Amino acid sequence: MQRRLLLAAFASLLLAGCGKSAAPADPHVLTVAATAVPHAEILEVVKPVLAKEGLKLDVKVFNDYVQPNVQVSEGRIDVNYFQTGPYLEEFNKAKGTHLVPIAGIHVEPFGAYSRKWKKIGELPDGATVAIPNEPSNSGRALQLLAKGGLITLRDPKSMSATPKDVVTNPKHLKFREIEAATLPRVLGEVDLAMINTNYALDAGLNPVRDALLIEDKDSPYVNFVVGTEKAKTDPRVAKLVAALRSPEVKAFIQRKYEGAVLPAF
């Protein structure tokens, strides 16, 4: 008898659990995952604007490119703002996620930096070049080196090229593949480091002044607000996008970053 009662109680708990639905999103709060520079800085600009519209922006700052996507995919954070389209595509493919780009906000021209050399032409034979260790940013780094005349690639337009795709390498460059966030830390240990602008800025580098090679304004690597398919029709996200694409934010980006970050709207 006691066993039957316990089983019945357990079954009722299971039914109750199955009947529960996820708590509705708070219409007055939006959580956004971002890297510190420039994404979180730009989000700080729109916080007071959104507050006047009754929406609190809760910015979660990360120092890596993985957790912001993981947490949005798992529903722990509403959207993120830190990545390019090619990176998102590679992440979805690798992790089996289904995140989507919602709105392009800015471009961060990717750059090549050195503590040892002042001009790209000074790079010696056999120089060590540090590049990001994931496909979209490694391809971006190699494309920039190819544009600078240092290498040629099997497919010049490939956004996911790796050192294996280098066809000619006249200076016999040696590539070290390193996590993107740590590239500024190894700058003194290598001849050249290919660094994402957000990490360069965070390390006190000025891409316009310090980069030996840098992408131009036609870079296809726009940084997006990203979320789930559902987030595309979320009115809170629509408010965020409108604020980020305002003339005020465009002026802030141009004034604050002086060409190191470019508006994409």
Side-chain angles (χ1 to χ4, degrees):
M1 179 69 177
Q2 186 176 11
R3 185 181 177 187
R4 284 200 300 271
L5 288 172
L6 285 171
L7 288 172
F10 181 64
S12 66
L13 284 171
L14 285 176
L15 288 170
C18 292
K20 285 183 179 179
S21 58
D26 186 335
H28 304 298
V29 178
L30 181 70
T31 54
V32 185
T35 44
V37 181
H39 307 83
E41 292 178 341
I42 295 171
L43 289 168
E44 287 298 322
V45 175
V46 302
K47 266 188 178 181
V49 175
L50 294 172
K52 289 178 182 177
E53 297 180 23
L55 181 63
K56 178 186 176 183
L57 197 62
D58 184 5
V59 180
K60 311 288 187 184
V61 178
F62 291 82
N63 63 2
D64 73 284
Y65 287 166
V66 176
Q67 280 303 309
N69 274 342
V70 170
Q71 296 205 24
V72 170
S73 181
E74 292 177 352
R76 288 183 278 165
I77 292 177
D78 295 312
V79 293
N80 64 48
Y81 171 40
F82 77 96
Q83 67 193 308
T84 65
Y87 178 81
L88 174 62
E89 185 177 340
E90 289 291 338
F91 187 92
N92 278 334
K93 191 184 301 181
K95 304 293 185 182
T97 49
H98 304 282
L99 299 173
V100 295
I102 296 171
I105 307 300
H106 73 265
V107 173
E108 299 171 21
F110 195 87
Y113 301 84
S114 179
R115 296 277 191 220
K116 299 179 180 180
W117 315 105
K118 293 184 178 180
K119 295 180 181 178
I120 201 69
E122 296 175 358
L123 210 62
D125 189 81
T128 300
V129 181
I131 65 173
N133 67 352
E134 44 79 22
S136 66
N137 278 314
S138 116
R140 189 176 183 181
L142 293 170
Q143 281 184 335
L144 184 57
L145 290 171
K147 190 173 182 179
L150 294 170
I151 60 171
T152 60
L153 295 169
R154 184 173 291 108
D155 178 1
K157 295 182 180 179
S158 173
M159 291 186 174
S160 57
T162 72
K164 293 179 181 178
D165 298 303
V166 175
V167 176
T168 64
N169 183 4
K171 288 202 171 188
H172 308 100
L173 302 178
K174 299 173 183 175
F175 298 103
R176 283 181 59 188
E177 297 177 83
I178 297 171
E179 185 182 351
T182 65
L183 282 164
R185 299 178 210 162
V186 303
L187 191 51
E189 304 169 17
V190 298
D191 292 288
L192 196 69
M194 313 299 290
I195 304 176
N196 295 76
T197 292
N198 60 315
Y199 292 132
L201 290 171
D202 207 25
L205 295 166
N206 183 318
V208 176
R209 183 187 65 232
D210 299 328
L212 305 190
L213 290 173
I214 192 166
E215 291 174 339
D216 58 27
K217 62 181 178 61
D218 297 321
S219 167
Y221 292 88
V222 176
N223 281 236
F224 286 89
V225 172
V226 168
T228 60
E229 193 69 36
K230 186 178 179 181
K232 291 172 68 175
T233 56
D234 188 325
R236 300 171 303 160
V237 177
K239 286 182 179 180
L240 171 64
V241 170
L244 286 172
R245 286 181 160 179
S246 68
E248 291 77 17
V249 166
K250 178 178 280 190
F252 170 80
I253 291 173
Q254 292 168 333
R255 181 180 69 254
K256 170 79 173 176
Y257 303 109
E258 300 179 325
V261 179
L262 304 171
F265 54 92

